[in-house]
Structures are given as C-alpha cells and as structure tokens.
C-alpha cells in the first residue's frame, strides 16, 4: 500500500510544479532586473545634486559675466567647426576660433586632472583617491576665475572646474551621474519615461495586468527617473540661484562664483579632515544593511519551513508555496549583492596592506 501511495502523490505534485516552473523563472528574471540597478545611497545622491546646483550656478554666472557658457562642450565643439569655416572665409578672426578651442581644451584638462586624483570609476574611500583635494582644486579654480581680470582666462578656469567636477561623479551602482550638463540627463529621462509608458500601454494602463518582470522593469526605471530628475531640477535651481545672487553680490558679476567655490571647498576640507570618520560611518551603514538583509532572508527561510509543514498536513496548493519561494529568492539576491560589496571592500584593504608591507621588503 505504501508503494502505491508514493507515485500518486508525485503524480499530484508534478503538474503543479511543471505549471509553476515558468512562474519561478519569471520571478528569477525579475529579481535579476531589480539587481541590475541599485539607486545610489542617499548621501551620494544628495551630494551629486548639490554639485549639479553648483555647476548650474557657475555656468549661468559665466554667461552673465563673459557671454560664454563654460560647460557646453557640445556647443563649443560646434563653434570650433563654425568659426573655422568663418576664419577661412574671412568672417571671423583667429581670436574667436581660439576661444572655442580653449574652452574645450580646458574642460578636457579638468577631467584629466580628476583622472590623476581619482583612479576608480565609482565612489570609494580607500586607496589613493583624493576626493578632498579634487574638491579643493575645483574651489580654487572657481575662486581664481572670480578675481582674475579679462575674459578668456577666467572662463577657461570655470570650464576646467566643470570638467574636474563632471569627471568626479562618473558612475555609481549603474546610475550615470553627470553634474555639469543636462543634455544626457534629459535624454535618459525621456527614454526611461517612454519605456514605462509603453509597458502600461501594452497592458491597457492597468497595473493589475503587469507580470513580475514588467513590475520589476517599471520599478527600476522609476528609481532611475528619481535620480535623473533630481539632477536636472538641482541644475535648474542652481542656475536660477546664480542669476539672482549675481545681482545681489556687489562687484563684478563673476564674484558670484565664490558661492559654489565656498561649497566645494568646504566639503573638500571637511572630507580631508574627517576622512577616517566618514569611512568608518559608511562601513557601519553597509554592515547594518547587510545584517538587515540577512535577517530578512533568515525570516523568510524559517517561514518557508513552517509553510512546508502546513503543506504536508493540510495539502495546500503548491502555487502559494512558489510565491513564497520567489520572495525568498529576491531576499537572497539582496544578501548576495551586499556580501559581494563587503568582499570587494575587504579585498581592496588586503591589497593595500600587501603593497604597504612589500615596499620595506624591497628596500
């Protein structure tokens, strides 16, 4: 009798498991989509938005002072072609061509200086990344532009400061952050919003018809929109603030550059003075988030154990159990991502320790 009952149970469970396997694959794909983008930490986002406001103010002040935009490399590159043709036709002198070329070159030099100071493409506090020095250098360039007479040299200093700042926040957790111009930001906002709209249009604008993968795609795009729209908004508000402050601050219009210079310089000096404290604080936040995700995964596993026992006693549906499995897989993916970040940080510390110990041996 026992041998006859086992095949019957297996036969009863097999259709449900086969039916639920596409659902399980869909939930795993949705978990991978959610893992593909992690919104930057709030302090990273806030700092990037403030830098965008500083760049918006500096760009507007540069135009008000010298009738030139400092961070518009696209426009300056087009002006190079336009004025080169005008120079050959005799419509423009060499000064206008030199002006456009130097603006592009100055922006490039600022980004090059950032590459020398910060050798990684994401925010980190270890190694030889001189974030504080980069911010102080940015402040020094803006302060110099506020007091140096003339037209071309000060605007080139502002362009170099914009290049340095723009290269400082390159990418973080998949979110492309550009703080000195918003052409790419507005492009990403439009394309991301278009993807969300198409998903809803395909489902008749009904949230209830979205499957797990589509919900994950909408959630990821919504988080991207929050980051991108914040950058655009702060850039706009910074430009508005710069225009009004230029009218309030006494002296030449370029004196208003001291406002963004004060912010970047203060943050840079604070970072240089409190780097170890900030590093320990960020590591503590990472550890607390990892512990919270690990506890959530443990709770889900314990709950799954109770559900399995209830399933054996009450013969409940396997589909409900599959839903719990999907939630458990998502929680485990989050734990995996946090664990990878901790391992990566620990390996960087070990590499620095090994390099520090190997130098005396070579000596």
């Amino acid at each position: 009798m026992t041998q006859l009952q086992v095949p019957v149970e297996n036969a009863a469970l097999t259709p449900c498991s086969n039916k639920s396997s596409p659902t399980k694959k869909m939930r795993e794909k949705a978990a991978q989509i959610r893992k593909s983008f992690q919104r930057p930490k709030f302090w990273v986002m806030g700092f990037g938005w403030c830098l965008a406001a500083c760049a918006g103010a500096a760009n507007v002040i540069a135009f008000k002072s010298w009738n030139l935009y400092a961070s518009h490399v696209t426009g300056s590159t087009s002006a190079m072609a336009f004025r080169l043709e005008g120079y050959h036709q005799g419509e423009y002198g060499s000064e206008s061509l030199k002006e456009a070329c130097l603006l592009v070159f100055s922006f490039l030099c600022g980004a090059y200086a950032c590459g020398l100071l910060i050798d990684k493409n994401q925010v980190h506090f270890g190694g030889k990344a001189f974030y504080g020095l980069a911010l102080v250098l940015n402040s020094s360039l803006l302060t110099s532009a506020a007091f140096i007479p003339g037209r071309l040299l000060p605007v080139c200093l502002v362009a170099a400061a914009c290049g340095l700042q723009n290269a400082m926040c390159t990418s973080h957790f998949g979110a492309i952050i550009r703080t000195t111009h918003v052409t790419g930001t507005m492009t990403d906002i439009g394309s991301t919003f278009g993807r969300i709209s198409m998903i809803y249009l395909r489902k008749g604008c009904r949230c209830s018809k979205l499957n797990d993968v589509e919900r994950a795609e909408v959630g990821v795009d919504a988080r991207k929109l929050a980051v991108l729209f914040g950058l655009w908004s702060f850039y706009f508000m910074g430009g508005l603030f710069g225009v009004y402050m230029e009218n309030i601050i006494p002296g030449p219009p370029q004196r208003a550059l001291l406002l963004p210079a004060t912010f970047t310089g203060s943050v840079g000096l604070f970072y240089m003075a409190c780097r170890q404290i900030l590093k320990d604080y960020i590591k503590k936040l990472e550890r607390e988030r990892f512990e919270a995700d690990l506890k959530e995964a443990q709770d889900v596993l314990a709950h799954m154990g109770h559900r399995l026992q209830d399933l054996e006693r009450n013969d409940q549906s396997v589909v409900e159990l599959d839903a719990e499995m999907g939630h458990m897989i998502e929680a485990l993916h989050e734990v995996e991502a946090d664990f990878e970040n901790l391992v990566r940080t620990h390996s960087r510390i070990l590499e620095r320790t090994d390099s520090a110990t190997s130098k005396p041996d070579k000596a």
Side-chain angles (χ1 to χ4, degrees), residues 56-272:
N59 206 31
V60 167
I61 294 167
F63 185 79
K64 288 275 289 184
S65 302
W66 307 292
N67 202 29
L68 289 169
Y69 286 114
S71 66
H72 289 192
V73 178
T74 304
S76 298
T77 303
S78 299
M80 287 171 59
F82 180 72
R83 288 168 183 172
L84 182 61
E85 186 272 341
Y87 176 73
H88 283 292
Q89 297 294 331
E91 298 176 2
Y92 295 102
S94 59
E95 284 297 319
S96 60
L97 177 61
K98 182 175 72 173
E99 186 178 90
C101 294
L102 284 177
L103 282 174
V104 175
F105 182 72
S106 299
F107 192 96
L108 178 65
C109 289
Y112 176 78
C114 178
L116 294 177
L117 296 173
I118 302 171
D119 59 343
K120 299 292 182 182
N121 65 348
Q122 78 175 35
V123 178
H124 65 100
F125 290 95
K128 300 178 180 179
F130 299 103
Y131 292 104
L133 184 58
L135 288 169
V136 171
L137 179 58
N138 178 281
S139 176
S140 301
L141 291 170
L142 293 177
T143 303
S144 300
F147 291 100
I148 290 179
R151 182 170 180 265
L152 187 56
L153 179 57
V155 76
C156 285
L157 291 177
V158 177
C162 289
L164 173 63
Q165 175 183 311
N166 198 54
M168 225 173 76
C169 296
T170 51
S171 68
H172 187 68
F173 290 104
I176 302 302
I177 298 178
R178 295 288 183 262
T179 59
T180 62
H181 55 275
V182 291
T183 303
T185 302
M186 191 57 65
T187 301
D188 292 339
I189 289 175
S191 62
T192 303
F193 188 72
R195 285 195 300 270
I196 295 176
S197 300
M198 180 53 65
I199 291 174
Y200 278 105
L201 288 174
R202 284 201 301 259
K203 299 297 181 179
C205 298
R206 294 184 180 179
C207 299
S208 59
K209 291 187 176 182
L210 299 180
N211 57 38
D212 290 336
V213 174
E214 290 168 339
R215 290 178 188 277
E217 290 175 346
V218 169
V220 167
D221 285 339
R223 291 196 294 272
K224 288 181 181 179
L225 279 177
V227 177
L228 295 169
F229 189 74
L231 282 173
W232 181 86
S233 301
F234 272 75
Y235 189 92
F236 171 76
M237 289 188 291
L240 195 63
F241 179 76
V243 169
Y244 280 104
M245 294 308 297
E246 179 266 336
N247 295 323
I248 295 174
I249 295 178
Q254 61 263 34
R255 291 289 191 274
L257 289 171
L258 293 175
L259 295 174
T262 301
F263 174 80
T264 55
S266 301
V267 174
L269 292 174
F270 176 77
Y271 174 83
M272 293 171 70

